[in-house]
Amino acid sequence: MHLDFRRVLSATSIFALAIASQSALAQDAAASGAASAGAEAAPSDQAIVVTGLRASLRDALNAKRNTTVVAETISSKDIGVLPDVTIADSLARLPGVTATRDRGNASQAAVRGLGPRLVLGLINGREVASSEPDRNVRWEIYPSEIVSSVAVYKGQSADFIAGGVAATIDIQTIKPLDYHGPAFTVRGGAIYNDGGRDIPGYSGLGARGSAQYVGKLTDDLGLVLGGTYQRQKNGFDSFQGWGYNTVDTGSPPTDANGNKINTPWGAQAEVKGLTETRWSTTAALQWKPGSYWDITLDGLYSNVKINENQAQQWYGRSNGWGDWGGSFGQAGDIYQPGSYTLAGNTVTGATLNNYSSVTNVFGKYVEDKTLFVSGLNAKYDDGTWSVKTDVSYSQARRNNDYHSVATEFYPSRRPLPPALGKCLRCPFRAAMRAALATRPHRSCRAITPACAMGRSACPMILARGRSTFAVHSTPDG
C-alpha cells in the first residue's frame, strides 16, 4: 500500500490553518465584544448627575407617579435650597393648598377648601404634638432649611395614620447615608418687611442663617447636625369693625314704629409692630449594619418667640354705638332724628347725641412656643420578609402673656364757656395743665388761687372731667 505523504501533509496543513483561522476569528470576535462592552460601560464612569431645581422637580414627579393616592410633593435633595422662610410658604405653592397668614407669615394650611383643623401633620411619618389649643398645626415652627421633602396626601390609604380628613402632610428630614452633596453648608442673609416702615422708630430689617453638617463616619454609619436662626420684624395697621347689634347677636334698639334697628357695636384702629425670633436644631444618626437593615435615630427642637407691641383705639366700648335695648331716634337716645343714616333697618353712619367712649390701649403680647420631636426607626427587608418598627416622642408647649394700659375718654358735645379766651390767656395755664395731669380732681383754686375762674367754669377742668384711668393685665397660659 502506497501513501502519498505530501497529500496527507497538505490536507493536515489545510485543516490546521482552518482551525487557526477560526480561533483567530473567535479571538477577534471576543476582543471586539470586550471592546464594545467596555465602550458601553465607559459612559457609566462619566455619568451626568442632575442636581438643583431640575433634580427636585424630577424627584417630585417620580414620587407623584409612584404613589397610589392623589398627592402633591416638594423635593429638595440639597440642604437649605428652599427659598421660603418657613415650610408653610412652600406648602402654599402646591395645587389645592392655601396658607392662612398670621402676623405676616404663612402659618396654617387649608387643603381643598377644608380648614386647618382637618389637616394631619407628620414628621418622618410620625404624628407630632401641636402647641395650638385645637388640632391646628403651626407650620411656621418648622424651618425650611432642615426639610428634605414634603408630601401632601389628599386621599386615604390603609398605611396612613388616621385623622387627615382634608389631607395628610408629611415632612421628611435629611438622612445622612442617602444624602449626596457638600458635607458642610452655611447660609445667611437679610430679611426685610416694609409693613412697619411708617411706624416711628421701627425698622423692618431682620436676619436669617443656617449651618449644617452631613457626613459618613463609616461606610454604614452617617451623621447629620444642623441649626437655624431667624429674626424677623414686621408691622401693620388695620381698622376693624365689631359687627352689629342684631336680634341674633344681642338686643338692638327699637324705633317709634316698633322696628328693630341694627346698630354697630363699635370699631377700633390698630397698629402693631412685632419681632419674631426662631431658632432650631436637628440631628440624625443612620446605621446600615448590613444589606438588610436600616436603623435611624433622629430629633428636632424648635423654639419661636413673638414680641408684639400694640397701639389701639377703641370706639364705643362704653355707652356704645350698639344702643343696647334703646329707644332709637327718641328723646334721650344717642341716635337722634337727622343725625344718622339708615340702609333698610341698619345704621351705616351717625353723629351720636351725648357721649360715647374713646379708649386708647397700649398693649404688649409675648408668645413663647417650643416643639421637640424624636424617634427611632428600624427596618429589615431581605426581599422575602420585611419588618418595620418605629418608636417616637413629641412634646409641644406654649406660653402667652398679654399686658395693656388703657385710658378712656368720653368726648362731650357740651359747649365750652365763653370765658375760654380769658382762660387761654391765664398766666397760670401751664402750671394748671401740669398739675391736673397728675391730680385731675385737685381743686383749681388750690393750684392757682389768683385765677378769677372757679372750677365750674375752667375749660381745662371740664375737658378732663370725664376721664378715667384703668390698667388691664390678662396673662394667658
Side-chain angles (χ1 to χ4, degrees):
M1 181 177 177
H2 180 70
L3 292 176
D4 190 348
F5 287 99
R6 289 177 299 179
R7 292 183 178 180
V8 173
L9 292 173
S10 175
T12 304
S13 299
I14 294 173
F15 181 72
L17 289 173
I19 294 176
S21 60
Q22 290 180 359
S23 176
L25 290 174
Q27 291 178 358
D28 293 341
S32 62
S36 62
E40 294 177 356
S44 64
D45 297 334
Q46 301 176 357
I48 298 175
V49 179
V50 180
T51 61
L53 178 61
R54 289 182 179 272
S56 298
L57 294 176
R58 178 199 61 196
D59 294 340
L61 288 175
N62 290 335
K64 193 171 182 178
R65 290 191 187 103
N66 295 331
T67 185
T68 57
V69 298
V70 179
E72 304 291 341
T73 60
I74 301 173
S75 179
S76 175
K77 297 302 183 183
D78 299 327
I79 300 174
V81 298
L82 292 177
D84 301 305
V85 174
T86 67
I87 196 61
D89 293 315
S90 301
L91 290 173
R93 302 177 186 273
L94 296 176
V97 181
T98 303
T100 61
R101 307 193 73 84
D102 180 44
R103 296 178 174 88
N105 283 329
S107 176
Q108 303 176 19
V111 181
R112 296 184 298 179
L114 299 178
R117 296 184 181 183
L118 302 179
V119 177
L120 176 65
L122 306 177
I123 299 294
N124 293 325
R126 310 181 185 107
E127 187 174 4
V128 297
S130 174
S131 60
E132 297 305 298
D134 47 28
R135 289 171 49 92
N136 295 357
V137 178
R138 292 278 186 175
W139 296 103
E140 74 267 24
I141 201 171
Y142 302 104
S144 60
E145 291 91 343
I146 66 172
V147 174
S148 173
S149 64
V150 182
V152 180
Y153 299 103
K154 301 178 181 178
Q156 297 296 323
S157 179
D159 58 343
F160 286 177
I161 297 177
V165 178
T168 299
I169 299 179
D170 188 8
I171 295 178
Q172 295 290 326
T173 57
I174 296 171
K175 291 187 174 181
L177 294 182
D178 300 334
Y179 171 76
H180 301 282
F184 188 73
T185 59
V186 178
R187 297 178 182 272
I191 302 175
Y192 179 74
N193 290 318
D194 61 356
R197 62 183 179 182
D198 295 330
I199 302 177
Y202 184 83
S203 172
L205 188 63
R208 175 187 181 190
S210 65
Q212 199 147 3
Y213 169 78
V214 183
K216 295 181 179 179
L217 306 181
T218 64
D219 292 338
D220 55 8
L221 182 64
L223 173 69
V224 54
L225 290 173
T228 68
Y229 174 82
Q230 175 183 301
R231 187 172 186 268
Q232 180 180 358
K233 305 187 72 175
N234 202 357
F236 47 91
D237 57 79
S238 64
F239 186 86
Q240 307 161 23
W242 294 349
Y244 273 79
N245 181 13
T246 67
V247 292
D248 297 323
T249 61
S251 178
T254 305
D255 65 7
N257 298 323
N259 299 318
K260 296 293 185 180
I261 306 299
N262 302 324
T263 52
W265 287 117
Q268 73 178 53
E270 182 178 42
V271 176
K272 290 184 178 181
L274 63 96
T275 301
E276 180 175 330
T277 305
R278 183 193 66 205
W279 69 272
S280 65
T281 180
T282 181
L285 190 66
Q286 187 179 13
W287 183 36
K288 292 183 178 181
S291 58
Y292 300 154
W293 286 95
D294 187 354
I295 303 173
T296 304
L297 175 66
D298 57 77
L300 167 67
Y301 178 84
S302 183
N303 176 259
V304 176
K305 293 182 179 180
I306 299 174
N307 193 321
E308 182 177 270
N309 295 317
Q310 304 174 356
Q312 303 172 354
Q313 192 168 63
W314 304 346
Y315 308 102
R317 191 185 77 91
S318 299
N319 196 29
W321 302 354
D323 196 13
W324 182 279
S327 300
F328 189 85
Q330 302 176 47
D333 193 72
I334 61 174
Y335 294 100
Q336 291 295 305
S339 64
Y340 55 83
T341 302
L342 289 178
N345 288 339
T346 302
V347 175
T348 59
T351 299
L352 300 181
N353 179 60
N354 206 341
Y355 64 85
S356 181
S357 66
V358 176
T359 308
N360 296 307
V361 182
F362 298 93
K364 188 177 186 64
Y365 174 75
V366 178
E367 181 177 306
D368 187 352
K369 52 189 175 184
T370 60
L371 173 69
F372 175 70
V373 181
S374 63
L376 174 64
N377 181 276
K379 293 186 292 185
Y380 173 85
D381 189 355
D382 61 3
T384 304
W385 296 92
S386 63
V387 180
K388 179 180 178 180
T389 303
D390 191 276
V391 179
S392 63
Y393 172 81
S394 65
Q395 182 185 64
R397 292 183 177 180
R398 186 181 73 173
N399 295 319
N400 295 356
D401 193 12
Y402 176 76
H403 295 276
S404 66
V405 175
T407 61
E408 194 163 275
F409 177 65
Y410 299 88
S412 175
R413 298 185 63 186
R414 175 180 176 182
L416 295 177
L420 173 62
K422 182 178 180 181
C423 180
L424 292 178
R425 295 190 298 270
C426 176
F428 303 101
R429 181 169 179 265
M432 291 174 61
R433 183 183 297 276
L436 292 175
T438 57
R439 298 182 62 182
H441 302 295
R442 190 177 179 185
S443 170
C444 178
R445 291 193 180 275
I447 302 172
T448 57
C451 182
M453 293 186 204
R455 178 179 175 86
S456 61
C458 178
M460 284 190 290
I461 296 290
L462 293 175
R464 297 185 59 88
R466 296 184 181 275
S467 297
T468 61
F469 180 80
V471 178
H472 304 280
S473 177
T474 56
D476 179 14

